[in-house]
Each structure stands twice: as structure tokens, then as C-alpha cells.
Amino acid sequence: MRDWEPERHELVCPQCRAALTEGGTEDHPELVCTGADCGLAYPVRDGIPVLLVDEARRPA
């Protein structure tokens, strides 16, 4: 057995290509864009990020 951790890939916003950070609540997790002009929040359903711009919540 190997003693290594799998490489972590950084997820990016499909709209602007900025990094995504974890956000939302425990019941409604989201990945939130860090882009200054974007800020879209993508839902995470059943542990799977839904990285579709049409499914994202726009910032208030």
C-alpha cells in the first residue's frame, strides 16, 4: 500500500475561472466564487458540486 495522499485539484468557477471556496450551511452547502466581479454560489448536492452557471445563485 502506498503512503501518499491523492493530488487535490482546485475547483474553479466556470464563469470567470476564479477559485471556489466552501460556503453555505451544513444543510445547503455551496462553493462560492472568489472572483471580485463574479461571486456566484454553486450548490453541492449529495456531495457533488453542480458547476453549472444556470444552477448558481447570484450574489445579493
Side-chain angles (χ1 to χ4, degrees):
M1 180 177 262
R2 293 181 151 189
D3 186 30
W4 56 277
E5 292 183 26
E7 182 179 340
R8 292 185 63 189
H9 297 280
E10 185 173 315
L11 295 176
V12 297
C13 174
Q15 179 73 29
C16 71
R17 301 291 186 226
L20 296 173
T21 60
E22 292 182 27
T25 65
E26 189 173 319
D27 293 334
H28 297 92
E30 297 178 320
L31 292 176
V32 181
C33 176
T34 59
D37 295 331
C38 185
L40 291 175
Y42 297 91
V44 178
R45 297 186 185 130
D46 297 323
I48 301 170
V50 180
L51 299 178
L52 301 172
V53 175
D54 292 341
E55 295 285 324
R57 181 177 57 80
R58 300 250 176 228

